[in-house]
PDB file of all heavy atoms in Angstrom:
ATOM      1  N   GLY Y  99       5.261   1.486  -5.334  1.00  0.00           N
ATOM      2  CA  GLY Y  99       5.629   2.725  -6.018  1.00  0.00           C
ATOM      3  C   GLY Y  99       6.856   2.625  -6.888  1.00  0.00           C
ATOM      4  O   GLY Y  99       7.191   3.577  -7.585  1.00  0.00           O
ATOM      5  N   SER Y 100       7.530   1.475  -6.882  1.00  0.00           N
ATOM      6  CA  SER Y 100       8.722   1.337  -7.720  1.00  0.00           C
ATOM      7  C   SER Y 100       8.370   1.215  -9.190  1.00  0.00           C
ATOM      8  O   SER Y 100       9.191   1.500 -10.058  1.00  0.00           O
ATOM      9  CB  SER Y 100       9.544   0.126  -7.263  1.00  0.00           C
ATOM     10  OG  SER Y 100       8.730  -1.029  -7.153  1.00  0.00           O
ATOM     11  N   ALA Y 169      13.417  -5.363  -8.521  1.00  0.00           N
ATOM     12  CA  ALA Y 169      13.613  -3.923  -8.396  1.00  0.00           C
ATOM     13  C   ALA Y 169      12.280  -3.188  -8.414  1.00  0.00           C
ATOM     14  O   ALA Y 169      12.142  -2.130  -7.788  1.00  0.00           O
ATOM     15  CB  ALA Y 169      14.502  -3.409  -9.527  1.00  0.00           C
ATOM     16  N   ALA Y 170      11.291  -3.743  -9.106  1.00  0.00           N
ATOM     17  CA  ALA Y 170       9.990  -3.086  -9.198  1.00  0.00           C
ATOM     18  C   ALA Y 170       8.905  -4.141  -9.359  1.00  0.00           C
ATOM     19  O   ALA Y 170       9.137  -5.219  -9.901  1.00  0.00           O
ATOM     20  CB  ALA Y 170       9.951  -2.106 -10.373  1.00  0.00           C
ATOM     21  N   VAL Y 334      10.501  -0.842 -14.293  1.00  0.00           N
ATOM     22  CA  VAL Y 334      11.234   0.265 -13.673  1.00  0.00           C
ATOM     23  C   VAL Y 334      11.308   1.438 -14.656  1.00  0.00           C
ATOM     24  O   VAL Y 334      11.566   1.247 -15.837  1.00  0.00           O
ATOM     25  CB  VAL Y 334      12.666  -0.172 -13.297  1.00  0.00           C
ATOM     26  CG1 VAL Y 334      13.458   0.994 -12.738  1.00  0.00           C
ATOM     27  CG2 VAL Y 334      12.628  -1.313 -12.295  1.00  0.00           C
ATOM     28  N   THR Y 335      11.050   2.636 -14.133  1.00  0.00           N
ATOM     29  CA  THR Y 335      11.200   3.839 -14.944  1.00  0.00           C
ATOM     30  C   THR Y 335      12.652   4.295 -14.860  1.00  0.00           C
ATOM     31  O   THR Y 335      13.109   4.749 -13.807  1.00  0.00           O
ATOM     32  CB  THR Y 335      10.276   4.960 -14.435  1.00  0.00           C
ATOM     33  OG1 THR Y 335       8.919   4.494 -14.448  1.00  0.00           O
ATOM     34  CG2 THR Y 335      10.403   6.200 -15.309  1.00  0.00           C
ATOM     35  N   ILE Y 336      13.392   4.135 -15.937  1.00  0.00           N
ATOM     36  CA  ILE Y 336      14.804   4.515 -15.959  1.00  0.00           C
ATOM     37  C   ILE Y 336      14.909   5.970 -16.405  1.00  0.00           C
ATOM     38  O   ILE Y 336      14.618   6.305 -17.557  1.00  0.00           O
ATOM     39  CB  ILE Y 336      15.621   3.602 -16.892  1.00  0.00           C
ATOM     40  CG1 ILE Y 336      15.541   2.147 -16.416  1.00  0.00           C
ATOM     41  CG2 ILE Y 336      17.073   4.064 -16.964  1.00  0.00           C
ATOM     42  CD1 ILE Y 336      16.165   1.912 -15.047  1.00  0.00           C
ATOM     43  N   SER Y 341      19.067   6.057 -11.961  1.00  0.00           N
ATOM     44  CA  SER Y 341      18.017   5.034 -11.866  1.00  0.00           C
ATOM     45  C   SER Y 341      18.586   3.651 -12.170  1.00  0.00           C
ATOM     46  O   SER Y 341      18.257   2.672 -11.493  1.00  0.00           O
ATOM     47  CB  SER Y 341      16.878   5.349 -12.838  1.00  0.00           C
ATOM     48  OG  SER Y 341      16.250   6.555 -12.506  1.00  0.00           O
ATOM     49  N   ILE Y 344      20.646   2.419  -9.195  1.00  0.00           N
ATOM     50  CA  ILE Y 344      19.796   1.979  -8.081  1.00  0.00           C
ATOM     51  C   ILE Y 344      19.137   0.647  -8.405  1.00  0.00           C
ATOM     52  O   ILE Y 344      19.058  -0.250  -7.551  1.00  0.00           O
ATOM     53  CB  ILE Y 344      18.747   3.064  -7.763  1.00  0.00           C
ATOM     54  CG1 ILE Y 344      19.439   4.296  -7.186  1.00  0.00           C
ATOM     55  CG2 ILE Y 344      17.690   2.540  -6.792  1.00  0.00           C
ATOM     56  CD1 ILE Y 344      18.524   5.490  -6.993  1.00  0.00           C
ATOM     57  N   LYS Y 345      18.654   0.479  -9.641  1.00  0.00           N
ATOM     58  CA  LYS Y 345      18.017  -0.774 -10.045  1.00  0.00           C
ATOM     59  C   LYS Y 345      18.969  -1.955  -9.849  1.00  0.00           C
ATOM     60  O   LYS Y 345      18.601  -2.988  -9.262  1.00  0.00           O
ATOM     61  CB  LYS Y 345      17.582  -0.693 -11.506  1.00  0.00           C
ATOM     62  CG  LYS Y 345      17.004  -1.996 -12.064  1.00  0.00           C
ATOM     63  CD  LYS Y 345      16.619  -1.817 -13.521  1.00  0.00           C
ATOM     64  CE  LYS Y 345      16.015  -3.096 -14.105  1.00  0.00           C
ATOM     65  NZ  LYS Y 345      16.998  -4.188 -14.213  1.00  0.00           N
ATOM     66  N   VAL Y 348      19.637  -2.597  -6.086  1.00  0.00           N
ATOM     67  CA  VAL Y 348      18.492  -3.256  -5.426  1.00  0.00           C
ATOM     68  C   VAL Y 348      18.456  -4.732  -5.782  1.00  0.00           C
ATOM     69  O   VAL Y 348      18.293  -5.605  -4.908  1.00  0.00           O
ATOM     70  CB  VAL Y 348      17.170  -2.560  -5.816  1.00  0.00           C
ATOM     71  CG1 VAL Y 348      15.967  -3.408  -5.394  1.00  0.00           C
ATOM     72  CG2 VAL Y 348      17.088  -1.179  -5.187  1.00  0.00           C
ATOM     73  N   PRO Y 354      18.176  -1.093   0.075  1.00  0.00           N
ATOM     74  CA  PRO Y 354      16.771  -1.483   0.251  1.00  0.00           C
ATOM     75  C   PRO Y 354      15.934  -1.232  -0.986  1.00  0.00           C
ATOM     76  O   PRO Y 354      16.192  -0.307  -1.762  1.00  0.00           O
ATOM     77  CB  PRO Y 354      16.303  -0.600   1.425  1.00  0.00           C
ATOM     78  CG  PRO Y 354      17.551  -0.184   2.124  1.00  0.00           C
ATOM     79  CD  PRO Y 354      18.608  -0.098   1.060  1.00  0.00           C
ATOM     80  N   ALA Y 355      14.904  -2.059  -1.163  1.00  0.00           N
ATOM     81  CA  ALA Y 355      14.060  -1.971  -2.357  1.00  0.00           C
ATOM     82  C   ALA Y 355      13.308  -0.655  -2.442  1.00  0.00           C
ATOM     83  O   ALA Y 355      13.019  -0.163  -3.545  1.00  0.00           O
ATOM     84  CB  ALA Y 355      13.081  -3.143  -2.384  1.00  0.00           C
ATOM     85  N   ASN Y 356      12.953  -0.051  -1.293  1.00  0.00           N
ATOM     86  CA  ASN Y 356      12.155   1.174  -1.387  1.00  0.00           C
ATOM     87  C   ASN Y 356      12.955   2.371  -1.897  1.00  0.00           C
ATOM     88  O   ASN Y 356      12.387   3.420  -2.208  1.00  0.00           O
ATOM     89  CB  ASN Y 356      11.496   1.508  -0.047  1.00  0.00           C
ATOM     90  CG  ASN Y 356      12.448   1.591   1.113  1.00  0.00           C
ATOM     91  OD1 ASN Y 356      13.666   1.572   0.922  1.00  0.00           O
ATOM     92  ND2 ASN Y 356      11.908   1.674   2.314  1.00  0.00           N
ATOM     93  N   VAL Y 357      14.284   2.229  -2.033  1.00  0.00           N
ATOM     94  CA  VAL Y 357      15.075   3.298  -2.662  1.00  0.00           C
ATOM     95  C   VAL Y 357      14.676   3.435  -4.127  1.00  0.00           C
ATOM     96  O   VAL Y 357      14.656   4.541  -4.681  1.00  0.00           O
ATOM     97  CB  VAL Y 357      16.584   3.014  -2.510  1.00  0.00           C
ATOM     98  CG1 VAL Y 357      17.404   4.040  -3.289  1.00  0.00           C
ATOM     99  CG2 VAL Y 357      16.979   3.044  -1.041  1.00  0.00           C
ATOM    100  N   MET Y 358      14.326   2.320  -4.774  1.00  0.00           N
ATOM    101  CA  MET Y 358      13.875   2.371  -6.166  1.00  0.00           C
ATOM    102  C   MET Y 358      12.573   3.153  -6.276  1.00  0.00           C
ATOM    103  O   MET Y 358      12.382   3.951  -7.205  1.00  0.00           O
ATOM    104  CB  MET Y 358      13.681   0.946  -6.697  1.00  0.00           C
ATOM    105  CG  MET Y 358      13.472   0.855  -8.206  1.00  0.00           C
ATOM    106  SD  MET Y 358      14.994   1.027  -9.167  1.00  0.00           S
ATOM    107  CE  MET Y 358      14.788   2.656  -9.868  1.00  0.00           C
ATOM    108  N   ALA Y 359      11.677   2.954  -5.297  1.00  0.00           N
ATOM    109  CA  ALA Y 359      10.414   3.696  -5.294  1.00  0.00           C
ATOM    110  C   ALA Y 359      10.658   5.182  -5.051  1.00  0.00           C
ATOM    111  O   ALA Y 359      10.015   6.044  -5.667  1.00  0.00           O
ATOM    112  CB  ALA Y 359       9.481   3.126  -4.226  1.00  0.00           C
ATOM    113  N   ILE Y 360      11.591   5.502  -4.156  1.00  0.00           N
ATOM    114  CA  ILE Y 360      11.913   6.904  -3.886  1.00  0.00           C
ATOM    115  C   ILE Y 360      12.448   7.577  -5.153  1.00  0.00           C
ATOM    116  O   ILE Y 360      12.083   8.707  -5.474  1.00  0.00           O
ATOM    117  CB  ILE Y 360      12.938   7.006  -2.741  1.00  0.00           C
ATOM    118  CG1 ILE Y 360      12.302   6.555  -1.422  1.00  0.00           C
ATOM    119  CG2 ILE Y 360      13.464   8.440  -2.608  1.00  0.00           C
ATOM    120  CD1 ILE Y 360      13.285   6.408  -0.286  1.00  0.00           C
ATOM    121  N   ASN Y 361      13.298   6.861  -5.887  1.00  0.00           N
ATOM    122  CA  ASN Y 361      13.792   7.394  -7.159  1.00  0.00           C
ATOM    123  C   ASN Y 361      12.644   7.642  -8.133  1.00  0.00           C
ATOM    124  O   ASN Y 361      12.749   8.494  -9.020  1.00  0.00           O
ATOM    125  CB  ASN Y 361      14.809   6.428  -7.762  1.00  0.00           C
ATOM    126  CG  ASN Y 361      15.386   6.908  -9.074  1.00  0.00           C
ATOM    127  OD1 ASN Y 361      14.975   6.460 -10.140  1.00  0.00           O
ATOM    128  ND2 ASN Y 361      16.336   7.842  -9.001  1.00  0.00           N
ATOM    129  N   ASN Y 362      11.540   6.913  -7.918  1.00  0.00           N
ATOM    130  CA  ASN Y 362      10.340   7.092  -8.744  1.00  0.00           C
ATOM    131  C   ASN Y 362       9.359   8.062  -8.086  1.00  0.00           C
ATOM    132  O   ASN Y 362       8.176   8.068  -8.419  1.00  0.00           O
ATOM    133  CB  ASN Y 362       9.669   5.733  -8.982  1.00  0.00           C
ATOM    134  CG  ASN Y 362       8.752   5.735 -10.177  1.00  0.00           C
ATOM    135  OD1 ASN Y 362       8.999   6.417 -11.169  1.00  0.00           O
ATOM    136  ND2 ASN Y 362       7.662   4.980 -10.095  1.00  0.00           N
TER     137      ASN Y 362
END
Side-chain angles (χ1 to χ4, degrees):
S100 51
V334 176
T335 303
I336 299 296
S341 296
I344 292 173
K345 175 181 181 292
V348 168
N356 54 10
V357 174
M358 191 78 252
I360 292 171
N361 181 259
N362 200 34

